[in-house]
Amino acid sequence: MGPAGSMLRSRELRAAVIGAIRRGVTPKAACLAAGVHHQTLANYRGAALTGRWGDKKATLTPAALAICREITREVDEAIALFEQERVLAIMAAADAVDERTGKKDWRADAWLLERHPATRQSYRVYQEPRQIIITNM
């Protein structure tokens, strides 16, 4: 089935998938939760880049290609908006003053530095794996 007959053309399903991604759910999990096979979304994203649909590599009509590009843009935008909101929330937490101590809490800043793509290589924390030994007594 190509993009013209795909389930993601349904406004309700599309809104459910994009909305879940916007809230931080992975694209694969968002599709599965909405009853859409995750490969469907992968086909849209691939078609937006190549102009061909799925394994069959069928050439898309201009209208179908436009739909694929629109859905891909919506997914990318949802991912970016989620990321932006989380980063801003962490930054706000880092600037907040703890009511008990009257000081800023450094942990949100440290967490962001350790994990943000622009800084994680410099500030990554390496932890030794823990070994758990269970003995029969």
Side-chain angles (χ1 to χ4, degrees):
M1 177 181 312
S6 174
M7 292 172 64
L8 281 180
R9 294 223 34 222
S10 157
R11 291 201 187 279
E12 294 81 20
L13 281 175
R14 189 164 156 184
V17 170
I18 299 299
I21 293 169
R22 175 76 177 75
R23 292 186 300 279
V25 177
T26 64
K28 181 177 180 177
C31 285
L32 294 174
V36 177
H37 194 279
H38 65 91
Q39 187 59 46
T40 302
L41 183 57
N43 286 342
Y44 273 101
R45 293 177 72 80
L49 293 172
T50 66
R52 298 186 177 278
W53 182 259
D55 294 338
K56 296 182 174 119
K57 301 297 182 195
T59 302
L60 298 176
T61 65
L65 181 57
I67 291 167
C68 292
R69 288 182 175 156
E70 181 180 338
I71 289 174
T72 297
R73 182 195 54 75
E74 288 175 5
V75 169
D76 291 345
E77 183 179 277
I79 292 168
L81 287 170
F82 171 76
E83 179 182 342
Q84 178 183 4
E85 283 183 3
R86 297 302 90 215
V87 169
L88 292 174
I90 292 167
M91 290 171 64
D95 289 337
V97 175
D98 186 315
E99 293 176 9
R100 293 177 295 135
T101 65
K103 298 179 181 177
K104 289 184 180 181
D105 189 347
W106 57 269
R107 291 174 290 191
D109 269 336
W111 187 94
L112 185 59
L113 283 172
E114 292 169 5
R115 289 166 177 82
H116 193 279
T119 56
R120 68 176 165 223
Q121 290 301 94
S122 299
Y123 294 95
R124 176 183 256 162
V125 175
Y126 294 93
Q127 296 179 343
E128 294 292 324
R130 295 183 181 170
Q131 183 176 14
I132 299 173
I133 300 173
I134 300 174
T135 60
N136 291 332
M137 297 187 158

Coordinates of all heavy atoms in Angstrom, one line a residue, residues 41-136:
L41 N 5.5 4.7 9.0 CA 6.2 6.0 9.2 C 7.6 6.0 8.6 O 8.0 7.0 8.0 CB 6.2 6.4 10.7 CG 6.8 7.7 11.0 CD1 6.0 8.9 10.3 CD2 6.8 8.0 12.5
A42 N 8.3 4.9 8.8 CA 9.6 4.8 8.1 C 9.5 4.9 6.6 O 10.4 5.6 6.0 CB 10.3 3.5 8.5
N43 N 8.5 4.4 6.0 CA 8.2 4.5 4.6 C 8.0 5.9 4.2 O 8.5 6.4 3.2 CB 7.1 3.6 4.1 CG 7.4 2.1 4.1 OD1 8.6 1.7 4.1 ND2 6.4 1.3 4.1
Y44 N 7.2 6.6 5.0 CA 6.9 8.1 4.7 C 8.2 8.8 4.7 O 8.5 9.6 3.8 CB 6.0 8.7 5.7 CG 4.5 8.5 5.3 CD1 3.7 7.5 5.9 CD2 3.9 9.3 4.4 CE1 2.4 7.3 5.6 CE2 2.6 9.2 4.1 CZ 1.8 8.2 4.7 OH 0.5 8.0 4.3
R45 N 9.0 8.6 5.7 CA 10.3 9.4 5.9 C 11.2 9.0 4.8 O 11.9 9.9 4.2 CB 10.9 9.1 7.3 CG 10.0 9.7 8.4 CD 10.5 9.4 9.8 NE 11.7 10.1 10.1 CZ 11.7 11.4 10.5 NH1 10.6 12.0 10.6 NH2 12.9 12.0 10.8
G46 N 11.3 7.8 4.4 CA 12.2 7.3 3.3 C 11.7 7.9 2.0 O 12.5 8.4 1.2
A47 N 10.4 7.9 1.8 CA 9.9 8.4 0.5 C 10.1 9.9 0.4 O 10.3 10.4 -0.7 CB 8.4 8.1 0.4
A48 N 10.0 10.6 1.5 CA 10.3 12.1 1.5 C 11.7 12.4 1.0 O 11.9 13.4 0.4 CB 10.0 12.7 2.9
L49 N 12.6 11.5 1.3 CA 14.0 11.7 0.9 C 14.3 11.2 -0.5 O 15.0 11.8 -1.3 CB 15.0 11.0 1.8 CG 15.0 11.5 3.3 CD1 15.8 10.6 4.1 CD2 15.6 12.9 3.3
T50 N 13.7 10.0 -0.9 CA 14.0 9.4 -2.2 C 13.0 9.6 -3.3 O 13.4 9.3 -4.4 CB 14.2 7.9 -1.9 OG1 13.0 7.3 -1.6 CG2 15.3 7.6 -0.9
G51 N 11.8 9.9 -2.9 CA 10.7 9.9 -3.9 C 10.2 8.6 -4.3 O 9.4 8.5 -5.2
R52 N 10.6 7.5 -3.5 CA 10.1 6.2 -3.8 C 9.5 5.6 -2.5 O 9.9 5.9 -1.4 CB 11.3 5.3 -4.3 CG 11.8 5.8 -5.6 CD 12.9 4.9 -6.2 NE 13.4 5.3 -7.4 CZ 12.8 5.1 -8.6 NH1 11.6 4.5 -8.6 NH2 13.3 5.6 -9.7
W53 N 8.5 4.7 -2.7 CA 7.8 4.1 -1.6 C 8.3 2.7 -1.2 O 8.2 1.8 -2.1 CB 6.3 4.1 -1.9 CG 5.5 3.6 -0.8 CD1 5.0 2.4 -0.6 CD2 5.1 4.3 0.4 NE1 4.3 2.3 0.6 CE2 4.4 3.5 1.2 CE3 5.4 5.6 0.8 CZ2 3.9 3.9 2.5 CZ3 4.9 6.0 2.1 CH2 4.1 5.1 2.9
G54 N 8.7 2.5 0.0 CA 8.9 1.2 0.6 C 9.9 0.3 -0.2 O 10.7 0.8 -0.9
D55 N 9.7 -1.0 0.0 CA 10.6 -2.0 -0.6 C 10.4 -2.1 -2.1 O 11.2 -2.5 -2.8 CB 10.3 -3.4 0.1 CG 10.7 -3.4 1.5 OD1 11.6 -2.6 1.9 OD2 10.2 -4.3 2.3
K56 N 9.2 -1.7 -2.5 CA 8.8 -1.9 -3.9 C 9.5 -0.8 -4.7 O 9.6 -0.8 -6.0 CB 7.3 -1.9 -4.1 CG 6.7 -3.1 -3.5 CD 5.2 -3.1 -3.7 CE 4.6 -4.3 -3.2 NZ 3.7 -4.2 -2.1
K57 N 9.9 0.3 -4.1 CA 10.6 1.4 -4.7 C 9.8 2.0 -5.8 O 10.3 2.5 -6.8 CB 12.0 1.0 -5.2 CG 12.9 0.5 -4.2 CD 13.2 1.6 -3.1 CE 14.2 1.1 -2.1 NZ 14.2 1.9 -0.9
A58 N 8.5 2.0 -5.7 CA 7.6 2.6 -6.6 C 7.7 4.1 -6.6 O 7.8 4.7 -5.5 CB 6.1 2.2 -6.3
T59 N 7.8 4.7 -7.8 CA 7.9 6.2 -7.9 C 6.6 6.8 -7.5 O 5.5 6.4 -7.8 CB 8.3 6.6 -9.3 OG1 9.5 5.9 -9.7 CG2 8.5 8.1 -9.4
L60 N 6.7 7.9 -6.7 CA 5.5 8.5 -6.2 C 5.1 9.6 -7.1 O 5.9 10.3 -7.8 CB 5.8 9.2 -4.8 CG 6.2 8.2 -3.7 CD1 6.6 9.0 -2.4 CD2 5.1 7.2 -3.4
T61 N 3.8 9.9 -7.1 CA 3.2 11.0 -7.8 C 3.6 12.3 -7.0 O 3.9 12.2 -5.8 CB 1.7 11.0 -7.9 OG1 1.2 11.1 -6.5 CG2 1.2 9.7 -8.5
P62 N 3.6 13.4 -7.6 CA 3.9 14.7 -6.9 C 3.0 14.9 -5.7 O 3.5 15.4 -4.7 CB 3.7 15.8 -8.0 CG 4.0 15.1 -9.3 CD 3.5 13.7 -9.1
A63 N 1.8 14.5 -5.8 CA 0.9 14.7 -4.7 C 1.2 13.8 -3.5 O 1.2 14.2 -2.3 CB -0.6 14.5 -5.1
A64 N 1.6 12.5 -3.8 CA 1.9 11.6 -2.8 C 3.3 12.0 -2.1 O 3.4 11.9 -0.9 CB 2.0 10.2 -3.4
L65 N 4.2 12.5 -2.9 CA 5.5 12.9 -2.4 C 5.3 14.1 -1.5 O 5.9 14.2 -0.4 CB 6.4 13.3 -3.6 CG 7.8 13.8 -3.2 CD1 8.5 12.7 -2.3 CD2 8.6 14.1 -4.4
A66 N 4.4 15.0 -1.8 CA 4.1 16.2 -1.0 C 3.5 15.7 0.4 O 3.9 16.3 1.4 CB 3.1 17.1 -1.7
I67 N 2.7 14.7 0.4 CA 2.1 14.1 1.6 C 3.3 13.5 2.5 O 3.3 13.8 3.7 CB 1.1 13.0 1.4 CG1 -0.2 13.7 0.8 CG2 0.7 12.3 2.6 CD1 -1.2 12.7 0.2
C68 N 4.2 12.8 1.9 CA 5.3 12.2 2.6 C 6.2 13.3 3.2 O 6.6 13.2 4.4 CB 6.1 11.3 1.6 SG 5.3 9.8 1.1
R69 N 6.4 14.3 2.5 CA 7.2 15.4 3.0 C 6.5 16.2 4.1 O 7.2 16.6 5.1 CB 7.6 16.3 1.8 CG 8.7 15.7 0.9 CD 9.1 16.6 -0.2 NE 10.2 16.0 -0.9 CZ 10.5 16.3 -2.2 NH1 9.8 17.2 -2.8 NH2 11.4 15.7 -2.8
E70 N 5.2 16.3 4.0 CA 4.5 17.0 5.0 C 4.5 16.2 6.3 O 4.7 16.8 7.4 CB 3.0 17.2 4.6 CG 2.2 17.9 5.6 CD 0.8 18.1 5.1 OE1 0.5 18.1 3.8 OE2 -0.1 18.3 5.9
I71 N 4.3 14.9 6.2 CA 4.3 14.1 7.4 C 5.7 14.0 8.1 O 5.8 14.2 9.3 CB 3.7 12.7 7.1 CG1 2.2 12.7 6.9 CG2 4.1 11.7 8.3 CD1 1.6 11.4 6.4
T72 N 6.7 13.9 7.2 CA 8.1 14.0 7.7 C 8.4 15.3 8.4 O 9.0 15.3 9.5 CB 9.1 13.7 6.6 OG1 8.8 12.4 6.0 CG2 10.5 13.8 7.0
R73 N 7.9 16.4 7.9 CA 8.1 17.7 8.5 C 7.4 17.8 9.8 O 8.0 18.2 10.8 CB 7.6 18.8 7.6 CG 7.9 20.2 8.1 CD 7.1 21.3 7.4 NE 5.7 21.0 7.3 CZ 4.8 21.1 8.3 NH1 5.2 21.5 9.5 NH2 3.5 20.9 8.2
E74 N 6.2 17.2 9.9 CA 5.4 17.3 11.1 C 6.1 16.4 12.2 O 6.1 16.8 13.4 CB 4.0 16.7 10.9 CG 3.1 17.7 10.1 CD 1.8 17.1 9.8 OE1 1.5 16.0 10.3 OE2 1.0 17.8 9.1
V75 N 6.6 15.3 11.9 CA 7.3 14.4 12.8 C 8.6 15.1 13.3 O 8.9 15.2 14.5 CB 7.7 13.0 12.2 CG1 8.6 12.3 13.1 CG2 6.4 12.2 12.0
D76 N 9.4 15.7 12.4 CA 10.6 16.4 12.8 C 10.3 17.6 13.6 O 11.0 17.8 14.6 CB 11.4 16.8 11.5 CG 12.0 15.6 10.7 OD1 12.1 14.5 11.3 OD2 12.4 15.8 9.6
E77 N 9.3 18.3 13.3 CA 8.9 19.4 14.1 C 8.4 19.0 15.5 O 8.8 19.7 16.5 CB 7.7 20.2 13.4 CG 7.3 21.4 14.1 CD 6.2 22.1 13.4 OE1 6.5 22.9 12.5 OE2 5.0 21.9 13.8
A78 N 7.7 17.9 15.6 CA 7.2 17.4 16.9 C 8.4 17.0 17.8 O 8.4 17.3 19.0 CB 6.3 16.2 16.7
I79 N 9.4 16.3 17.2 CA 10.6 16.0 17.9 C 11.3 17.2 18.4 O 11.8 17.3 19.6 CB 11.5 15.0 17.1 CG1 10.8 13.7 16.8 CG2 12.9 14.8 17.7 CD1 11.5 12.9 15.7
A80 N 11.5 18.2 17.5 CA 12.2 19.4 17.9 C 11.5 20.2 19.0 O 12.2 20.7 19.9 CB 12.4 20.2 16.6
L81 N 10.2 20.3 18.9 CA 9.5 21.0 19.9 C 9.5 20.3 21.3 O 9.7 21.0 22.3 CB 8.0 21.2 19.5 CG 7.8 22.2 18.4 CD1 6.4 22.1 17.8 CD2 8.1 23.6 18.8
F82 N 9.5 19.0 21.3 CA 9.6 18.3 22.6 C 11.0 18.6 23.2 O 11.1 18.9 24.3 CB 9.4 16.8 22.4 CG 9.8 16.0 23.6 CD1 9.0 16.0 24.7 CD2 11.0 15.3 23.7 CE1 9.3 15.3 25.8 CE2 11.4 14.6 24.8 CZ 10.5 14.6 25.9
E83 N 12.0 18.5 22.3 CA 13.4 18.7 22.8 C 13.5 20.1 23.3 O 14.1 20.4 24.4 CB 14.4 18.5 21.7 CG 15.8 18.7 22.1 CD 16.8 18.5 21.0 OE1 16.5 17.9 19.9 OE2 17.9 19.0 21.1
Q84 N 13.0 21.1 22.6 CA 13.1 22.5 23.0 C 12.5 22.7 24.3 O 13.0 23.4 25.2 CB 12.5 23.4 21.9 CG 12.5 24.9 22.3 CD 11.8 25.7 21.3 OE1 11.3 25.2 20.3 NE2 11.9 27.0 21.5
E85 N 11.3 22.2 24.5 CA 10.6 22.4 25.8 C 11.3 21.7 27.0 O 11.4 22.3 28.0 CB 9.2 21.8 25.7 CG 8.2 22.6 24.9 CD 6.8 22.0 24.9 OE1 6.6 21.0 25.6 OE2 5.9 22.6 24.3
R86 N 11.9 20.6 26.7 CA 12.6 19.9 27.8 C 13.9 20.7 28.2 O 14.2 20.8 29.3 CB 13.0 18.5 27.4 CG 11.9 17.5 27.2 CD 10.9 17.3 28.4 NE 9.9 18.3 28.3 CZ 9.3 19.0 29.3 NH1 9.6 18.7 30.5 NH2 8.3 19.8 29.1
V87 N 14.6 21.1 27.2 CA 15.8 21.9 27.4 C 15.5 23.2 28.2 O 16.1 23.6 29.2 CB 16.6 22.2 26.1 CG1 17.7 23.3 26.4 CG2 17.2 21.0 25.5
L88 N 14.4 23.9 27.8 CA 14.0 25.1 28.5 C 13.6 24.8 29.9 O 13.9 25.6 30.8 CB 12.9 25.8 27.7 CG 13.3 26.4 26.3 CD1 12.1 27.0 25.6 CD2 14.4 27.5 26.5
A89 N 12.9 23.7 30.1 CA 12.5 23.3 31.5 C 13.7 23.0 32.3 O 13.7 23.4 33.5 CB 11.6 22.1 31.4
I90 N 14.7 22.4 31.8 CA 15.9 22.1 32.6 C 16.7 23.4 32.9 O 17.1 23.6 34.0 CB 16.8 21.1 31.8 CG1 16.2 19.7 31.7 CG2 18.2 21.0 32.4 CD1 16.8 18.8 30.7
M91 N 16.7 24.3 31.9 CA 17.4 25.6 32.1 C 16.6 26.4 33.2 O 17.2 27.0 34.0 CB 17.5 26.4 30.8 CG 18.5 25.7 29.8 SD 18.4 26.5 28.2 CE 18.9 28.1 28.6
A92 N 15.3 26.3 33.2 CA 14.5 27.0 34.2 C 14.8 26.4 35.6 O 14.9 27.1 36.6 CB 13.0 27.0 33.9
A93 N 14.9 25.1 35.6 CA 15.1 24.4 36.9 C 16.5 24.8 37.4 O 16.7 24.9 38.6 CB 15.0 22.9 36.7
A94 N 17.5 24.9 36.5 CA 18.8 25.3 36.9 C 18.9 26.7 37.4 O 19.7 27.0 38.3 CB 19.8 25.2 35.7
D95 N 18.0 27.6 37.0 CA 18.0 29.0 37.4 C 17.1 29.2 38.7 O 17.2 30.2 39.3 CB 17.4 29.9 36.3 CG 18.4 30.1 35.2 OD1 19.7 29.9 35.5 OD2 18.0 30.4 34.1
A96 N 16.3 28.1 39.0 CA 15.4 28.3 40.2 C 16.2 28.2 41.5 O 17.2 27.5 41.6 CB 14.4 27.1 40.1
V97 N 15.7 28.9 42.5 CA 16.4 29.0 43.8 C 15.6 28.0 44.7 O 14.4 28.1 44.8 CB 16.4 30.4 44.3 CG1 16.9 30.4 45.7 CG2 17.1 31.3 43.4
D98 N 16.4 27.1 45.3 CA 15.8 26.2 46.3 C 15.3 27.0 47.5 O 16.1 27.8 48.1 CB 16.9 25.2 46.7 CG 16.3 24.1 47.6 OD1 15.6 24.4 48.6 OD2 16.7 22.9 47.4
E99 N 14.1 26.8 47.9 CA 13.4 27.5 49.0 C 14.1 27.2 50.3 O 14.2 28.1 51.2 CB 11.9 27.2 49.1 CG 11.2 27.7 47.9 CD 9.7 27.4 47.9 OE1 9.3 26.8 49.0 OE2 9.0 27.6 46.9
R100 N 14.6 26.0 50.5 CA 15.2 25.7 51.8 C 16.6 26.3 51.9 O 16.9 26.7 53.0 CB 15.3 24.1 51.9 CG 14.0 23.4 52.0 CD 14.2 21.9 52.0 NE 14.7 21.5 50.8 CZ 15.7 20.6 50.6 NH1 16.3 20.1 51.7 NH2 16.2 20.3 49.4
T101 N 17.4 26.2 50.9 CA 18.8 26.7 51.0 C 19.0 28.1 50.5 O 20.0 28.8 50.9 CB 19.7 25.8 50.1 OG1 19.4 25.9 48.8 CG2 19.6 24.3 50.6
G102 N 18.1 28.6 49.7 CA 18.3 30.0 49.1 C 19.3 30.0 48.0 O 19.7 31.1 47.6
K103 N 19.7 28.8 47.5 CA 20.7 28.7 46.5 C 20.2 28.0 45.2 O 19.2 27.3 45.3 CB 21.9 27.9 47.0 CG 22.6 28.6 48.1 CD 23.8 27.7 48.6 CE 24.5 28.4 49.8 NZ 25.6 27.5 50.3
K104 N 20.8 28.3 44.1 CA 20.5 27.6 42.9 C 20.9 26.1 43.0 O 21.9 25.8 43.7 CB 21.1 28.2 41.7 CG 20.6 29.5 41.3 CD 21.2 30.0 40.0 CE 20.7 31.4 39.6 NZ 21.3 31.8 38.4
D105 N 20.2 25.2 42.4 CA 20.5 23.8 42.3 C 21.3 23.6 41.1 O 20.8 23.7 40.0 CB 19.3 23.0 42.4 CG 19.5 21.5 42.6 OD1 20.7 21.1 42.4 OD2 18.6 20.8 42.8
W106 N 22.6 23.1 41.2 CA 23.5 22.9 40.1 C 23.2 21.7 39.3 O 23.6 21.5 38.2 CB 24.9 22.9 40.6 CG 25.1 21.8 41.6 CD1 24.9 21.9 43.0 CD2 25.4 20.4 41.4 NE1 25.1 20.7 43.6 CE2 25.4 19.7 42.6 CE3 25.6 19.6 40.3 CZ2 25.6 18.4 42.8 CZ3 25.9 18.3 40.4 CH2 25.9 17.7 41.6
R107 N 22.4 20.8 39.8 CA 22.2 19.4 39.2 C 21.5 19.5 37.8 O 21.9 18.7 36.9 CB 21.4 18.5 40.1 CG 22.3 18.1 41.3 CD 21.5 17.3 42.3 NE 20.5 18.2 42.9 CZ 19.8 17.9 44.0 NH1 19.9 16.7 44.5 NH2 18.9 18.8 44.5
A108 N 20.6 20.4 37.6 CA 19.9 20.5 36.3 C 20.9 21.0 35.3 O 20.9 20.4 34.1 CB 18.7 21.4 36.4
D109 N 21.8 21.9 35.6 CA 22.8 22.4 34.7 C 23.8 21.2 34.4 O 24.2 21.0 33.2 CB 23.6 23.6 35.3 CG 23.0 24.9 34.9 OD1 22.3 25.0 33.9 OD2 23.2 25.9 35.6
A110 N 24.2 20.5 35.4 CA 25.1 19.4 35.2 C 24.5 18.3 34.3 O 25.2 17.8 33.4 CB 25.6 18.8 36.5
W111 N 23.3 18.0 34.5 CA 22.6 17.0 33.7 C 22.6 17.4 32.3 O 22.8 16.6 31.4 CB 21.2 16.8 34.3 CG 20.4 15.7 33.6 CD1 20.4 14.4 34.1 CD2 19.7 15.7 32.4 NE1 19.7 13.6 33.2 CE2 19.2 14.4 32.1 CE3 19.4 16.7 31.5 CZ2 18.5 14.1 31.0 CZ3 18.7 16.4 30.3 CH2 18.2 15.1 30.1
L112 N 22.2 18.7 32.0 CA 22.1 19.2 30.7 C 23.5 19.2 30.0 O 23.6 18.7 28.8 CB 21.6 20.6 30.6 CG 21.3 21.2 29.2 CD1 20.3 20.3 28.4 CD2 20.7 22.6 29.4
L113 N 24.5 19.6 30.7 CA 25.9 19.6 30.1 C 26.3 18.1 29.7 O 26.9 17.9 28.7 CB 26.9 20.2 31.0 CG 26.9 21.7 31.1 CD1 27.8 22.1 32.3 CD2 27.3 22.3 29.8
E114 N 26.0 17.2 30.6 CA 26.4 15.8 30.4 C 25.6 15.2 29.2 O 26.1 14.2 28.6 CB 26.1 15.0 31.6 CG 26.9 15.3 32.8 CD 26.5 14.7 34.1 OE1 25.5 13.9 34.0 OE2 27.0 15.0 35.1
R115 N 24.5 15.7 28.8 CA 23.7 15.0 27.8 C 23.4 15.8 26.6 O 22.9 15.2 25.6 CB 22.3 14.6 28.5 CG 22.5 13.5 29.5 CD 21.3 13.3 30.4 NE 21.5 12.2 31.3 CZ 22.2 12.2 32.4 NH1 22.8 13.3 32.8 NH2 22.3 11.2 33.2
H116 N 23.6 17.1 26.5 CA 23.3 17.9 25.4 C 24.3 17.5 24.3 O 25.5 17.4 24.5 CB 23.3 19.4 25.7 CG 22.8 20.2 24.6 ND1 23.5 20.5 23.5 CD2 21.5 20.7 24.5 CE1 22.7 21.3 22.7 NE2 21.5 21.4 23.3
P117 N 23.8 17.4 23.0 CA 24.7 17.0 21.9 C 25.9 18.0 21.7 O 27.0 17.6 21.4 CB 23.8 17.1 20.7 CG 22.5 16.9 21.2 CD 22.4 17.5 22.5
A118 N 25.7 19.3 22.1 CA 26.8 20.2 21.9 C 27.9 20.1 23.0 O 29.0 20.6 22.8 CB 26.2 21.6 21.9
T119 N 27.5 19.5 24.1 CA 28.5 19.5 25.2 C 28.8 18.1 25.8 O 29.7 18.0 26.6 CB 28.0 20.4 26.4 OG1 26.7 20.0 26.8 CG2 27.9 21.9 25.9
R120 N 28.0 17.1 25.4 CA 28.1 15.8 26.1 C 29.5 15.2 25.9 O 29.9 14.4 26.8 CB 27.0 14.9 25.7 CG 27.1 14.4 24.2 CD 26.0 13.4 24.0 NE 25.8 13.3 22.5 CZ 24.7 13.2 21.9 NH1 23.6 13.3 22.6 NH2 24.6 13.1 20.6
Q121 N 30.2 15.4 24.8 CA 31.5 14.8 24.7 C 32.5 15.4 25.7 O 33.4 14.6 26.2 CB 32.1 15.0 23.3 CG 31.4 14.2 22.2 CD 31.4 12.7 22.5 OE1 30.5 12.2 23.1 NE2 32.5 12.1 22.0
S122 N 32.4 16.6 26.1 CA 33.3 17.2 27.0 C 32.9 17.0 28.5 O 33.8 16.9 29.3 CB 33.3 18.8 26.8 OG 33.8 19.1 25.5
Y123 N 31.6 16.8 28.8 CA 31.1 16.7 30.1 C 30.6 15.3 30.5 O 30.0 15.2 31.6 CB 30.1 17.8 30.4 CG 30.7 19.2 30.3 CD1 30.6 19.9 29.2 CD2 31.3 19.7 31.4 CE1 31.2 21.2 29.1 CE2 31.9 21.0 31.4 CZ 31.8 21.7 30.2 OH 32.4 22.9 30.1
R124 N 30.7 14.4 29.6 CA 30.1 13.1 29.9 C 30.7 12.4 31.1 O 31.8 12.5 31.4 CB 30.3 12.2 28.7 CG 29.8 10.8 28.9 CD 30.2 9.9 27.7 NE 29.0 9.7 27.0 CZ 28.9 9.3 25.7 NH1 30.0 9.0 25.1 NH2 27.8 9.1 25.1
V125 N 29.8 11.8 31.9 CA 30.2 11.1 33.1 C 30.3 9.6 32.8 O 29.3 9.1 32.4 CB 29.2 11.4 34.3 CG1 29.6 10.6 35.5 CG2 29.2 12.9 34.6
Y126 N 31.4 9.1 33.0 CA 31.6 7.6 32.8 C 31.5 6.9 34.1 O 32.2 7.3 35.1 CB 33.0 7.3 32.1 CG 33.1 7.9 30.7 CD1 33.6 9.2 30.5 CD2 32.6 7.2 29.6 CE1 33.7 9.7 29.2 CE2 32.6 7.7 28.4 CZ 33.2 9.0 28.2 OH 33.3 9.5 26.9
Q127 N 30.6 5.9 34.1 CA 30.4 5.2 35.4 C 30.9 3.8 35.2 O 30.7 3.2 34.1 CB 29.0 5.2 35.8 CG 28.5 6.6 36.1 CD 27.0 6.6 36.5 OE1 26.3 5.6 36.2 NE2 26.5 7.6 37.1
E128 N 31.5 3.2 36.2 CA 32.0 1.9 36.2 C 30.8 1.0 36.3 O 29.9 1.2 37.1 CB 33.0 1.6 37.3 CG 34.3 2.3 37.2 CD 35.1 1.8 36.0 OE1 35.1 0.6 35.8 OE2 35.8 2.7 35.4
P129 N 30.7 -0.1 35.5 CA 29.6 -1.0 35.6 C 29.7 -1.7 37.0 O 30.7 -2.0 37.5 CB 29.8 -2.0 34.5 CG 31.1 -1.8 34.0 CD 31.6 -0.5 34.4
R130 N 28.5 -1.9 37.6 CA 28.5 -2.6 38.9 C 28.2 -4.1 38.7 O 27.4 -4.5 37.9 CB 27.3 -2.0 39.7 CG 27.6 -0.6 40.1 CD 26.5 0.0 41.0 NE 26.7 1.4 41.3 CZ 25.9 2.1 41.8 NH1 24.7 1.7 42.2 NH2 26.2 3.4 42.1
Q131 N 28.9 -4.8 39.5 CA 28.7 -6.3 39.4 C 28.0 -6.7 40.6 O 28.4 -6.4 41.8 CB 30.1 -7.0 39.3 CG 30.0 -8.5 39.1 CD 31.3 -9.1 39.0 OE1 32.3 -8.5 39.2 NE2 31.3 -10.3 38.5
I132 N 26.9 -7.4 40.4 CA 26.1 -7.9 41.5 C 26.4 -9.4 41.6 O 26.2 -10.2 40.7 CB 24.6 -7.7 41.3 CG1 24.4 -6.1 41.2 CG2 23.8 -8.3 42.4 CD1 23.0 -5.8 40.8
I133 N 26.8 -9.8 42.8 CA 27.0 -11.2 43.0 C 26.0 -11.8 44.0 O 25.8 -11.2 45.1 CB 28.5 -11.4 43.6 CG1 29.5 -10.9 42.6 CG2 28.7 -12.9 43.9 CD1 30.9 -10.9 43.1
I134 N 25.3 -12.8 43.6 CA 24.3 -13.4 44.5 C 24.9 -14.8 44.9 O 25.3 -15.6 44.1 CB 23.0 -13.6 43.7 CG1 22.5 -12.2 43.3 CG2 22.0 -14.3 44.6 CD1 21.3 -12.3 42.4
T135 N 24.9 -15.0 46.2 CA 25.4 -16.3 46.7 C 24.2 -16.9 47.4 O 23.4 -16.3 48.0 CB 26.6 -16.1 47.6 OG1 26.2 -15.2 48.7 CG2 27.7 -15.4 46.9
N136 N 24.2 -18.2 47.4 CA 23.3 -19.0 48.1 C 23.8 -19.2 49.6 O 24.9 -19.7 49.7 CB 23.0 -20.4 47.5 CG 22.3 -20.2 46.2 OD1 21.5 -19.2 46.0 ND2 22.5 -21.1 45.3

